[in-house]
Structures are given as C-alpha cells and as structure tokens.
Amino acid sequence: MKLDPFYLIVDSAAWIERLVPLGVKLVQLRIKTMDEAGLRAEIRKAKALCAQHRCQLIVNDHWRLAIEEGCDFVHLGQEDLQTADRSRIRVAGVRLGLSTHDHIELETAMAAEPDYIALGPIYPTILKKMKWAPQGVERINEWKRRVAPVPLVAIGGLNPDRLDGAFAAGADSAAVVTDITLNADPQARTREWIKKTDRWR
C-alpha cells in the first residue's frame, strides 16, 4: 500500500471542507471529545467530502462508528489498540494505522499487522503533552528498517522546511496538524505542503 506523502490531520469536517478541495489526498479526522450523534454526523460529512474529492479518509479512534458509517481506514493509538476488536475491523475490510513512540509500542503494533506505522514526535510538538522526548530523524531510519515494507508515517513538529530530512531518513508520509491549523493562512500553508511533497508522490 502506498500512502500520499502529505498526511493532514484535523479535528472537524469543517476543516476537511476547507482544505481537502485544495488537493489533499490523505486526511485523518481526529475528534477526541464529542457525543456519539455528533461524531457520527462529523464522520458522515467527512466521508462524503472525501469521496467527492477522491481523498482517503482515516478515522481516529472511533473504529465502531467508522465501520457503521462505511469508512475503510482507521487509526488507533496504543491504548485504543488494547480494547479494539481487531478481528471485527479486519472482517469489515477496514485498514488500520497505529501510533508508536518507543520500541515496546513498535513490537505491539507490528504484532497487530497494521497497514501503516506512525512514529512520533519527531520534533517538539505543541499539539499535546507527551512523555516521550522528540525522536529525531535518526529514529525514522531505525523504524523504517524494522517496519518495511509497512509504510512509515512521521509525525510531530514537522513543517515544510523539515520534510527533506524526514523523507531522506525513510518516512513514506509526513503528518501535520498545527503547522497548518494554527497558521495565519491555512489554505496557503496547505498548498505549500502539497507542492513541497509532490516529488515523493
């Protein structure tokens, strides 16, 4: 499986409506706190928007709702992986991406036979407090050797100026949140990411 090198992560269908039409081909909907009815509506709207623009939607955490709404890709963190029904996810034909931050988590993730592995944070990140120090691009190279041929996603503190190093170290895709969503001009920054990652597409 080949992932688009530009992996956008947003917390609402409104962001998808705003940015995916610019040419985004891989987006994760990551909503942490919302009631089920709200989540279902967001997933449904995001799915329709992504289908319209031929963009791959990945639903974070909410694998049951993703299956019920006919989505075909979910992303789980390590805690969610422990409680998820992986056989049900597979029977539904849903692909699976997993987060990793250290060697133990990598072993756990690889045992689940994921469709991609994410490593982070590569650089310091303001998105959330993490107990892990920044991994650095050197860790990307190590992870790539251990997970290949499974695609590797780099995440955490990335911006267009840091992409060359991440991809040279072995990343197949670079995930971004705040570099776009907190930018003064998110649309322009999205276009910059698309252009910058074009050579790896």
Side-chain angles (χ1 to χ4, degrees):
M1 185 191 71
K2 180 171 173 56
L3 293 175
D4 193 87
F6 170 37
Y7 186 165
L8 176 65
I9 301 176
V10 294
D11 63 2
S12 70
W15 273 115
I16 289 176
E17 187 171 27
R18 186 175 175 187
L19 299 179
V20 163
L22 301 176
V24 176
K25 294 303 176 188
L26 180 64
V27 65
Q28 181 186 128
L29 180 64
R30 178 163 68 188
I31 301 174
K32 290 299 182 182
T33 52
M34 186 179 286
D35 62 46
E36 184 174 318
L39 279 169
R40 192 180 295 277
E42 285 286 302
I43 291 170
R44 196 169 290 176
K45 182 177 179 182
K47 181 173 181 278
L49 287 164
C50 287
Q52 181 182 346
H53 295 282
R54 297 183 178 178
C55 174
Q56 175 65 60
L57 174 66
I58 299 178
V59 176
N60 181 277
D61 291 350
H62 306 289
W63 59 270
R64 292 182 187 85
L65 285 177
I67 291 172
E68 290 170 11
E69 291 301 322
C71 298
D72 62 3
F73 217 137
V74 298
H75 178 95
L76 298 177
Q78 291 280 322
E79 290 182 10
D80 295 294
L81 176 61
Q82 303 307 317
T83 58
D85 186 339
R86 295 204 302 272
S87 62
R88 186 177 164 199
I89 291 170
R90 291 300 185 197
V91 167
V94 175
R95 288 173 289 175
L96 177 64
L98 297 173
S99 296
T100 67
H101 307 88
D102 58 35
H103 292 89
I104 293 173
E105 289 189 351
L106 179 59
E107 289 179 17
T108 301
M110 290 302 289
E113 300 181 341
D115 294 282
Y116 75 77
I117 290 282
L119 169 67
I122 306 304
Y123 294 96
T125 176
I126 61 172
L127 179 62
K128 54 185 176 180
K129 263 191 114 56
M130 289 206 168
K131 63 182 181 181
W132 299 277
Q135 310 277 358
V137 292
E138 300 81 12
R139 184 63 62 86
I140 296 174
N141 188 264
E142 179 193 348
W143 250 233
K144 182 63 176 178
R145 291 196 308 272
R146 296 186 62 177
V147 308
V150 176
L152 179 62
V153 175
I155 184 170
L158 293 173
N159 60 44
D161 294 332
R162 291 171 167 170
L163 292 178
D164 286 341
F167 284 107
D172 297 291
S173 185
V176 56
V177 187
T178 57
D179 188 64
I180 286 176
T181 59
L182 295 184
N183 194 278
D185 189 339
Q187 284 95 329
R189 193 62 157 180
T190 298
R191 291 188 185 95
E192 185 179 351
W193 269 80
I194 292 170
K195 184 177 180 182
K196 179 75 176 184
T197 54
D198 193 51
R199 74 171 107 156
W200 295 288
R201 193 160 280 113

